[in-house]
Amino acid sequence: DSVLVPASEDNGTLDFIFSSAAVVYLPFCSHCFREVVASYDVLSKYYTISFMRRDQLAEHSLWKATNTISPNAMQHWLGKAINQEEVYCKIKLQEILHGGGHANVSNEQLIKVFKRIDRREEVRMIKLTALRRYHPKFEKSKFSELKTTLGIDKGGYVGL
């Protein structure tokens, strides 16, 4: 789940890896998973795709904020389960096996990607991180002189 950055890289590189300025979080549900796998060719041009376990969710601001809401308000006022990510953000292999197909990806491809996810029973979010060249603070003129690094300049699945 980690992106290795050579020691020779300057510290500015780390800003692009750990920045939340260019990150999209999606629930790890059957619908979002199917759409991400089906859209892999397009998404991997712009993002790295990783799978966040529940012990990594603290970096997600919305998740952190919803955990500060009182259980009473969460259930009665908002009508949501207290442990939303445990209810809405889990996928079992059976859901993929018996779920409806997708026009742009086969069930076999979905199963192949799903089985490659490490500790998938603990995953709760899909994280799309924009490549460095698409980060709002990246100086585009520097890209051609930089070495391509997986997870920073080259998209696709991370940790699979």
Side-chain angles (χ1 to χ4, degrees), residues 4 15 40 50 55 60 63-66 80 90 98 102 107 116 119 121 123 135 141 146 156:
L4 299 176
D15 292 340
Y40 177 81
S50 57
D55 64 336
H60 184 350
W63 179 86
K64 220 177 346 185
T66 58
K80 297 282 185 181
K90 288 168 57 172
H98 303 296
H102 190 285
N107 265 10
R116 289 174 52 206
R119 296 164 55 187
E121 65 283 348
V123 171
H135 190 284
S141 60
L146 295 172

Side-chain angles (χ1 to χ4, degrees), residues 25 50-54 56-57 59 123-125 127:
Y25 297 97
S50 57
F51 300 89
M52 295 178 62
R53 296 182 311 271
R54 70 184 112 172
Q56 300 169 316
L57 293 178
E59 77 173 56
V123 171
R124 297 296 177 265
M125 293 282 169
K127 179 181 177 182

Side-chain angles (χ1 to χ4, degrees), residues 6-77:
S8 61
E9 293 265 357
D10 64 80
N11 286 339
T13 300
L14 296 178
D15 292 340
F16 295 105
I17 297 171
F18 298 112
S19 170
S20 61
V23 175
V24 176
Y25 297 97
L26 301 169
F28 188 60
C29 66
S30 180
H31 173 76
C32 290
F33 179 71
R34 286 177 190 280
E35 293 300 323
V36 166
V37 175
S39 305
Y40 177 81
D41 290 341
V42 173
L43 289 174
S44 64
K45 291 177 185 176
Y46 304 98
Y47 298 97
T48 58
I49 304 163
S50 57
F51 300 89
M52 295 178 62
R53 296 182 311 271
R54 70 184 112 172
D55 64 336
Q56 300 169 316
L57 293 178
E59 77 173 56
H60 184 350
S61 299
L62 180 58
W63 179 86
K64 220 177 346 185
T66 58
N67 280 295
T68 64
I69 300 171
S70 77
N72 186 43
M74 182 68 83
Q75 289 180 305
H76 302 293
W77 185 53

Side-chain angles (χ1 to χ4, degrees), residues 127-139:
K127 179 181 177 182
L128 307 177
T129 306
L131 300 178
R132 175 169 47 186
R133 66 181 147 214
Y134 301 112
H135 190 284
K137 293 183 179 177
F138 183 66
E139 295 177 36

Side-chain angles (χ1 to χ4, degrees), residues 15 18 24 49 63 78 86 89 97 99 103 111-112 156:
D15 292 340
F18 298 112
V24 176
I49 304 163
W63 179 86
L78 298 173
E86 295 301 316
C89 302
L97 292 171
I111 292 166
K112 183 179 174 184

